[in-house]
Amino acid sequence: EKRAVIQIEKNGYPDLIYINAAKIFQGIHTEKSEDKIQVRYGDNSESPMMAFKDEHSRRVSYELAFNTLKYQDLLEEILLDSRTYPCYSIPDELTSLLVVMLYDLQDRKFKKRKIFAEEELVAEVQEIEDYLYSYRTKLAAALARCRIKYDALSIEYFVPETIWKQEQRASTLPLCFWINTFKISLEDVIRDLEMKGFRKVESVSDFDHYTYAVDQHCPDVLVFPSSLREELLNFDLFADCKLLLQ
């Protein structure tokens, strides 16, 4: 049976995701020696992390922060080359938010973000979004110049080699999900998966795309092919914390 490939359109995230991702990125960004610093991140260590709405929000915030970290050097170069930075109306304490939102803007091909219904808006996010969007043509041109300069077909070229190798290894490992039995039973999970077209197999060696296996040592753990990561993480089972990624 053939299944349609699900294309997830990139519309951006709610404001609170950007705030939390920026806070995370602030704590993990690569700090450079004083003689090499061109982009200053200030100190917003006293600003609190917003409460995560749910497990999905937490995961997305961390993914956005770590994706920004992977491309930190490129994003900084784009900001400088386009003369989007420095901006004297944006304090150093908001630089992390600026860089995080730039990563997302280029990931959306510099298209305008979709505002979600009943979304809690944050003034700083709105301000930086408007600022970046007003520079979108210059930012896109700066990205193009960087790719030409480094002969890069895509921005993946700019990922540090050590991170790229780690990601390559991780991408081949099967995905393990723990069934949150406080919220759902194994039988109900299996029923839900079968309705989505999944088929149970005996072991990972039998994987064939839309298949899964029950862990032989822990029956509350399901194992899936790594190729299904994005699709699985968008399931209601995961968003509702009925399945938890290990």
Side-chain angles (χ1 to χ4, degrees):
E1 180 185 356
K2 292 185 178 180
R3 294 174 58 109
V5 176
I6 297 176
Q7 294 289 343
I8 301 172
E9 185 178 355
K10 295 176 179 177
N11 291 318
Y13 305 100
D15 285 16
L16 294 182
I17 296 288
Y18 294 114
I19 291 292
N20 280 337
K23 179 70 176 177
I24 296 164
F25 177 65
Q26 175 72 21
I28 63 174
H29 75 274
T30 302
E31 296 185 6
K32 299 175 181 177
S33 58
E34 190 64 33
D35 60 316
K36 293 183 178 179
I37 291 178
Q38 291 183 284
V39 176
R40 297 187 177 275
Y41 287 88
D43 179 19
N44 65 354
S45 57
E46 294 183 2
S47 63
M49 183 90 76
M50 297 285 189
F52 293 114
K53 180 181 177 182
D54 50 32
E55 176 64 20
H56 176 74
S57 297
R58 187 187 70 82
R59 176 182 65 83
V60 170
S61 297
Y62 275 93
E63 282 187 355
L64 182 55
F66 277 94
N67 280 334
T68 304
L69 176 65
K70 284 196 301 185
Y71 299 104
Q72 179 181 333
D73 288 345
L74 171 64
L75 296 168
E76 289 179 359
E77 187 168 345
I78 291 171
L79 286 171
L80 293 165
D81 183 81
S82 64
R83 299 188 178 181
T84 307
Y85 182 92
C87 172
Y88 299 106
S89 65
I90 298 177
D92 290 348
E93 287 71 26
L94 291 181
T95 299
S96 288
L97 183 60
L98 180 72
V99 178
V100 164
M101 295 193 72
L102 172 58
Y103 169 78
D104 182 58
L105 180 61
Q106 67 77 32
D107 197 39
R108 300 196 315 270
K109 310 299 182 188
F110 298 95
K111 294 180 181 177
K112 202 162 185 66
R113 176 174 66 120
K114 174 183 177 182
I115 299 297
F116 294 79
E118 300 179 3
E119 177 184 340
E120 181 180 345
L121 301 180
V122 179
E124 292 86 352
V125 172
Q126 300 293 310
E127 176 190 353
I128 287 181
E129 178 174 39
D130 290 343
Y131 177 70
L132 286 173
Y133 195 70
S134 70
Y135 274 83
R136 64 190 181 280
T137 303
K138 292 182 178 180
L139 290 166
L143 172 57
R145 283 192 293 272
C146 285
R147 289 176 57 182
I148 292 170
K149 177 180 176 181
Y150 297 104
D151 194 23
L153 294 176
S154 69
I155 69 166
E156 279 71 27
Y157 169 90
F158 298 95
V159 177
E161 185 177 2
T162 53
I163 295 178
W164 182 81
K165 287 181 177 179
Q166 289 172 356
E167 289 187 337
Q168 288 295 104
R169 285 196 295 269
S171 67
T172 62
L173 297 174
L175 299 171
C176 295
F177 284 86
W178 175 63
I179 299 171
N180 185 354
T181 53
F182 292 105
K183 290 194 170 188
I184 195 169
S185 67
L186 170 62
E187 291 74 19
D188 287 339
V189 171
I190 290 176
R191 188 178 303 113
D192 192 289
L193 290 172
E194 288 177 348
M195 289 176 62
K196 289 180 168 64
F198 280 79
R199 178 172 56 87
K200 181 182 175 182
V201 295
E202 291 303 313
S203 70
V204 296
S205 60
D206 300 320
F207 277 167
D208 181 21
H209 204 46
Y210 287 99
T211 50
Y212 70 94
V214 178
D215 188 279
Q216 296 178 354
H217 305 290
C218 183
D220 289 340
V221 172
L222 299 181
V223 188
F224 296 85
S226 59
S227 59
L228 297 177
R229 179 184 176 87
E230 288 304 315
E231 192 166 342
L232 288 168
L233 293 180
N234 282 283
F235 279 179
D236 291 340
L237 286 172
F238 184 82
D240 296 338
C241 297
K242 294 175 181 176
L243 283 183
L244 303 174
L245 180 61
Q246 300 299 292

